[in-house]
Amino acid sequence: MDKKNLNFSYFLHPRNVELLGIFLNQILFDGSLLKIWNMNKFTGVLGVYNCQGAAWNNIERKNTFHQTKNEVLTGAIRGRDVHLIAEAAMDPNWNGNCAVYCHRTGELITLPYNAALPMSLKVLEHDIFTVTPIKDLAPGFSFAPLGLINMFNAGGAIEGLKYKVKGGAELLNLDDGYKGESSCVSDQRVENYSDELVGKVSMEVKGCGKFGAYSSAKPRKCIVDANVVEFVYDSDSSLVILSLDSMPEEGKLHVVEIEL
C-alpha cells in the first residue's frame, strides 16, 4: 500500500484502528501531504491533509502536536490518486480524463490522464475532492456526475447511472465554438442547435440538496421525477447545478435526467 495515498476503508475494521495510528506516526513528519481515498459506485472521493507535526502519543493515549519547520506544504493531486477510479468509468475505452470538484472552493476542473493540479495547505488544513471519470458521448459532448455537492462525499448519493447516445449524434448541427475532436480540457464551448438530442444521462439519486455535474455543453433540459426544473450552468467551468428540494418518498430514489 502506498503510504502517501491510503484507502481509508482498510482502516475501518476495529482491529486496524490502532494500526492506523502507528502507520500515520511514521509519515506525519516527512514534509509531504497525506492523501486518503475511497470509492463510490460511480465516483471517487479524495481527502488531502497537511498533518505535519500531528501524532498519536501512545503513552498519553491522545493526539499531540510538534512544531514543524514549514507552515505550508505544496503538492499536487491527480485523478489516479483514487486508485480504483477506472472501476467507476462507464466506458471500457475510458481515456483517463476526470472531472474534479473541490469542496473547499466550489471549483470544478477537468484533469486529463496523469495531469496534476498543484495545491498548498497550511498545517492542519485539509481539502476534499470528488473525482469522476468523464464519459465522452459525441464530439464536443462529455459528461460526469458529481452528486450532492453540499456534502463531502457527494458521489455517495448516486445509486444509478445510465448514458443513452442518440444515433448519428456526430452529424448534428453544432455551433462554431467546437472544432476538431472531443476534448474535456478544451476552452471551446459547444451548443446543440439541432432539434435532435445528442444524448440523455439518467441518474438515480438519494437524498436532497444541490446536485452538481460536469457537462462540456450546456444541457437542453433537466428533469427531476418527470418534472422539468431550472438549472444553473457555468460555461467557464462546465458546472451544472440543479436543486433536489425534498427527500424522495420512502423506499424510492430521485430520477434525475439531463438532456444534451
Side-chain angles (χ1 to χ4, degrees):
M1 183 183 300
D2 184 350
K3 73 174 185 177
K4 301 294 177 53
N5 198 334
L6 311 181
N7 182 353
F8 186 67
S9 61
Y10 173 80
F11 295 104
L12 295 183
H13 194 286
R15 72 183 181 210
N16 291 332
V17 172
E18 185 172 356
L19 174 61
L20 175 61
I22 297 172
F23 192 77
L24 292 181
N25 279 353
Q26 297 177 358
I27 65 175
L28 296 183
F29 296 92
D30 64 355
S32 63
L33 295 172
L34 172 66
K35 301 175 186 178
I36 299 177
W37 62 272
N38 214 338
M39 286 296 300
N40 298 302
K41 289 183 178 180
F42 305 104
T43 70
V45 59
L46 176 66
V48 185
Y49 305 86
N50 181 350
C51 299
Q52 295 298 302
W56 176 255
N57 190 314
N58 287 319
I59 297 177
E60 299 183 10
R61 310 298 296 176
K62 66 178 183 179
N63 290 317
T64 57
F65 181 78
H66 305 275
Q67 193 65 37
T68 59
K69 296 180 180 179
N70 300 318
E71 294 186 1
V72 177
L73 287 183
T74 299
I77 65 167
R78 294 174 172 83
R80 61 181 174 83
D81 284 337
V82 180
H83 287 185
L84 300 181
I85 193 63
E87 296 185 1
M90 300 293 288
D91 186 344
N93 298 316
W94 178 56
N95 58 15
N97 296 340
C98 290
V100 179
Y101 180 79
C102 175
H103 286 270
R104 179 172 58 87
T105 64
E107 295 178 330
L108 173 65
I109 66 165
T110 53
L111 284 180
Y113 174 72
N114 210 31
L117 173 67
M119 63 177 302
S120 297
L121 293 175
K122 296 180 180 179
V123 174
L124 300 185
E125 281 189 340
H126 71 279
D127 214 338
I128 307 293
F129 299 88
T130 292
V131 182
T132 309
I134 292 176
K135 169 72 172 179
D136 291 325
L137 299 171
F141 291 82
S142 54
F143 190 90
L146 300 171
L148 295 177
I149 57 176
N150 51 328
M151 299 182 179
F152 284 140
N153 188 19
I158 305 174
E159 290 290 327
L161 173 63
K162 292 182 180 179
Y163 292 101
K164 183 177 182 180
V165 181
K166 302 292 286 187
E170 66 276 5
L171 303 178
L172 291 176
N173 178 28
L174 306 180
D175 73 355
D176 291 335
Y178 172 77
K179 296 180 178 64
E181 295 299 320
S182 167
S183 172
C184 73
V185 295
S186 174
D187 291 331
Q188 299 170 329
R189 299 301 172 198
V190 54
E191 287 194 44
N192 179 10
Y193 291 126
S194 169
D195 292 333
E196 297 292 330
L197 285 175
V198 170
K200 179 187 290 187
V201 185
S202 299
M203 294 161 283
E204 293 179 323
V205 182
K206 61 185 178 182
C208 61
K210 288 184 178 181
F211 184 88
Y214 161 82
S215 179
S216 64
K218 182 179 180 179
R220 294 159 52 98
K221 186 186 300 183
C222 293
I223 302 169
V224 176
D225 299 329
N227 298 310
V228 177
V229 298
E230 295 183 353
F231 65 91
V232 176
Y233 181 70
D234 183 348
S235 60
D236 291 330
S237 66
S238 299
L239 176 63
V240 181
I241 297 178
L242 55 91
S243 181
L244 302 180
D245 293 326
S246 60
M247 295 288 290
E249 296 180 14
E250 186 174 355
K252 295 185 178 181
L253 299 168
H254 287 301
V255 178
V256 179
E257 297 177 309
I258 297 182
E259 296 183 357
L260 302 171

